[in-house]
Amino acid sequence: MPVIAPVPAARPARIPNQRDDAEDGVAAGTTVDHLTETYRAHYRSLLGLAALLLDDTASCEDVVQEAFIRVHSARKRVREPEKTLAYLRQTVVNLSRSALRRRILGLKLLSKPMPDMASAEEGAYDQLERDSLIKAMKGLQRRQREVLVLRYFADMTEAQVAETLGISLGSVKAYGSRGIAALRVAMEAPV
């Protein structure tokens, strides 16, 4: 029969304390007790810092709490106790930025609401107006049509229209004025 050796009992997990931190070569100021004192002394100021960057209290509190958790997790890297507050401040700023980025991304990803759709009757009426405008534009003289299209549909200034067509500024004004008057008459005429 095989010999079964007893399995050694599992050792209970050690909970780090100040003494363990001191043994690891970490400065005494970065202990859990120091973080607790920093929390008591600077929580409100860190909350105020987050409030300057974020807009709602709940997010500010979350950011400050997360900052303390992260600095607590990395406290062995904070060798100088006087730098603990600086690390906390920088962590609050970074977490606030991240929260704002997530919000902006969320807003971009939200589905955009559909614009108010016109009824079928309104759409048909708009189409009739466009058709009558196109018909009236075709009835204008060539230069009047060119000036109106460049001025109002291409959104050019009178000077740009004059340069594009190679005519004077006064001619642009005259063709434009006559063209609008002719369009007004054509659009008001019964179909």
Side-chain angles (χ1 to χ4, degrees), residues 132-150:
S132 64
L133 177 62
I134 291 170
K135 183 179 176 184
M137 289 290 288
K138 287 181 181 178
L140 296 176
Q141 295 176 4
R142 180 181 59 87
R143 278 287 189 207
Q144 290 174 346
R145 185 173 50 248
E146 290 171 349
V147 167
L148 291 179
V149 167
L150 291 174

Side-chain angles (χ1 to χ4, degrees), residues 163-178:
E163 185 180 329
T164 302
L165 295 177
I167 59 177
S168 69
L169 187 60
S171 296
V172 170
K173 291 179 181 182
Y175 283 125
S177 175
R178 289 183 197 132

Side-chain angles (χ1 to χ4, degrees), residues 32-126:
V32 174
D33 289 339
H34 178 69
L35 278 175
T36 303
E37 288 303 314
T38 304
Y39 178 86
R40 287 185 186 130
H42 297 285
Y43 176 78
R44 286 193 179 274
S45 67
L46 292 170
L47 197 59
L49 174 63
L52 291 172
L53 301 170
L54 299 170
D55 56 354
D56 65 299
T57 307
S59 296
C60 296
E61 290 172 347
D62 290 345
V63 161
V64 173
Q65 291 297 329
E66 181 66 24
F68 272 99
I69 290 169
R70 288 188 182 191
V71 170
H72 178 268
S73 298
R75 72 183 184 278
K76 290 183 180 182
R77 289 183 284 175
V78 183
R79 301 271 181 207
E80 300 173 36
E82 60 274 359
K83 290 188 177 178
T84 303
L85 184 58
Y87 279 105
L88 282 166
R89 286 185 181 133
Q90 189 61 49
T91 305
V92 167
V93 169
N94 291 340
L95 290 172
S96 297
R97 286 179 185 158
S98 295
L100 289 174
R101 271 189 232 114
R102 281 191 303 276
R103 281 187 198 170
I104 291 169
L105 182 61
L107 291 174
K108 286 181 182 178
L109 295 178
L110 283 177
S111 62
K112 295 183 176 153
M114 292 295 292
D116 292 334
M117 298 298 293
S119 67
E121 294 167 349
E122 289 178 36
Y125 183 71
D126 290 344

